[in-house]
Amino acid sequence: MDIQKRNFIIIWVSNFLVAGTMTMIMPFLSLYIETFGNYSDAYVQKWSGLVFGATFISALIMSPIWGRIADKYGFKPILIINGFGIALSVFLMGFVHSVEAFFVLRLLNGVVTGFIPTSLAFISANTKREEAGKRLGTLQMGSVTGTLFGPVLGGLLADAFGFKYTFVITSISVIIAALIIVFGIKEQRKVKTGREVVYSRKTILSGLLHHRLMLNVMVVTALIQIGNFSIQPLLSLYVSHLTDAKDVAFLAGITFSAAGVGNLLFARKWGKLGDDIGYEKVLGFLLLLSFIFIVPQAFVGSLWQLVIWRLLFGIAMGGMIPITTALVRREAPLDIQGEVMGYNTSFRFLGNIIGPMFGGIISGFVGISSVFIFTGVLFLLGFGFLYYAKRKPTQDFEDFLAESEQKNT
């Protein structure tokens, strides 16, 4: 087995473990806060939102920094640091006695929550451009599979062993993933480009904000996550309006997982199609499909209809992350791919932060069903941004950066 194939299998397994274990603790965050004291429902809800979002805030800031370090020292050291860092922070969460301490640990968790984005960047940097979509789509299947099973397993462990030991078990699983990286991954040294250009952080960030295609890819990346996260906190409540069954939590879990199943089934196929006919074409098509599949969810009259539309929506969403990542991989110079991927990840985390707030505000003013319609409009906006970028003359991102660097020096 060649090194690249071996590395890919190891990264896939590690992503499955990390994604699965990190989502294990999500179902009971609010319940865990209630164990710290006798708090009101409003207090618990407020801190649940803060604790949930804390990780994304610090991760948004740190992603480009980890990417720049990875460009200099390699991706494997960053994967190891993130792996053991996640394990330590999760382990300590099981022993806190105040919501403030829990919040701080979630912030620290975000500092090292770069394992899966870094693994995407690692595989992308070591994959041929013409195969990036297919390979990244296959890799996403690992994290999606873990995400599907994680919440269910986490709920079962919490009921069987309690919150404390669920955190401990979660940290052990992440340690196993980190150890697999330590002893299994062999990172090959990058072949440097012939330009011998050292780009400053200012040049890279300015380039991303002024290069038409890259800026639009970053904006679309954020819009995708806003659209994905806008309805998630409200989904169980929406399900309760569609059914009189007692086991609403279980039915909400099935509805939530339906999108994940669609994602899992088609991520690789969309990536391969992007390799064959062009990433911009496939991404534009998926944005339109997402609009078509999410708007009808506002008008369903029964739960089974919602589940079907969520499955179709997941099919469309499944290709977006690997396609946008492959686009960034195609455009970014090899020497700075880690940092550029880091900025792309930051836009994803920005979407994760804005999404729940966006959904909450819209549902508060015009109802939960309207969130689906407004989210659909976001996907149309994303298509418009991408269409605008494609209509303009092509800009070579490496040339664009080199010119910017010369102007700054």
Side-chain angles (χ1 to χ4, degrees), residues 109-122:
N109 184 246
V111 171
V112 289
T113 303
F115 189 94
I116 291 177
T118 301
S119 66
L120 278 170
F122 172 67

Side-chain angles (χ1 to χ4, degrees), residues 141-405:
M141 292 169 65
S143 57
V144 171
T145 304
T147 302
L148 285 175
F149 291 106
V152 177
L153 182 58
L156 292 173
L157 288 174
D159 289 337
F161 302 106
F163 299 131
K164 174 181 176 180
Y165 290 104
T166 302
F167 283 109
V168 173
I169 294 169
T170 299
S171 66
I172 291 172
S173 181
V174 179
I175 287 174
I176 292 172
L179 289 174
I180 292 174
I181 297 294
V182 172
F183 296 106
I185 289 293
K186 292 183 178 179
E187 184 171 7
Q188 296 173 305
R189 295 180 67 88
K190 291 181 180 179
V191 178
K192 298 290 183 178
T193 61
R195 300 197 178 204
E196 299 291 337
V197 179
V198 178
Y199 302 108
S200 65
R201 294 178 187 177
K202 180 181 178 181
T203 297
I204 295 172
L205 182 57
S206 176
L208 290 172
L209 295 177
H210 291 90
H211 185 270
R212 281 189 297 271
L213 179 59
M214 293 297 277
L215 175 60
N216 280 280
V217 169
M218 300 292 168
V219 171
V220 167
T221 296
L223 289 176
I224 290 168
Q225 295 303 103
I226 293 171
N228 197 24
F229 274 73
S230 62
I231 196 62
Q232 284 191 14
L234 305 167
L235 197 58
S236 58
L237 190 59
Y238 192 59
V239 168
S240 69
H241 293 163
L242 294 172
T243 179
D244 296 324
K246 295 181 179 180
D247 49 350
V248 174
F250 175 71
L251 293 174
I254 292 177
T255 308
F256 180 84
S257 297
V261 171
N263 193 311
L264 179 66
L265 292 175
F266 277 81
R268 175 185 168 93
K269 291 180 174 63
W270 291 127
K272 186 178 186 303
L273 185 62
D275 294 332
D276 293 338
I277 68 172
Y279 302 126
E280 292 92 338
K281 290 181 182 178
V282 175
L283 182 57
F285 178 66
L286 291 178
L287 287 166
L288 288 177
L289 272 188
S290 297
F291 169 78
I292 293 169
F293 291 151
I294 197 169
V295 170
Q297 295 175 43
F299 305 101
V300 296
S302 61
L303 183 60
W304 69 266
Q305 293 174 350
L306 180 62
V307 170
I308 290 174
W309 284 115
R310 294 298 294 173
L311 176 67
L312 293 172
F313 177 67
I315 289 173
M317 289 293 292
M320 290 193 185
I321 291 178
I323 290 293
T324 52
T325 305
L327 257 172
V328 173
R329 185 259 178 273
R330 188 192 72 190
E331 296 294 321
L334 184 64
D335 297 346
I336 59 168
Q337 274 192 9
E339 185 170 358
V340 175
M341 291 278 189
Y343 281 112
N344 189 51
T345 301
S346 290
F347 274 84
R348 284 176 57 190
F349 285 130
L350 180 63
N352 293 352
I353 296 168
I354 296 174
M357 293 190 294
F358 173 81
I361 292 170
I362 296 298
S363 65
F365 279 103
V366 285
I368 295 178
S369 60
S370 300
V371 176
F372 295 104
I373 299 172
F374 279 90
T375 300
V377 172
L378 289 182
F379 289 121
L380 276 185
L381 281 175
F383 174 81
F385 285 132
L386 189 65
Y387 181 78
Y388 168 79
K390 286 174 61 181
R391 294 272 297 181
K392 294 293 183 178
T394 302
Q395 296 172 305
D396 184 277
F397 186 56
E398 191 166 4
D399 290 338
F400 192 85
L401 286 175
E403 291 174 6
S404 299
E405 186 69 27

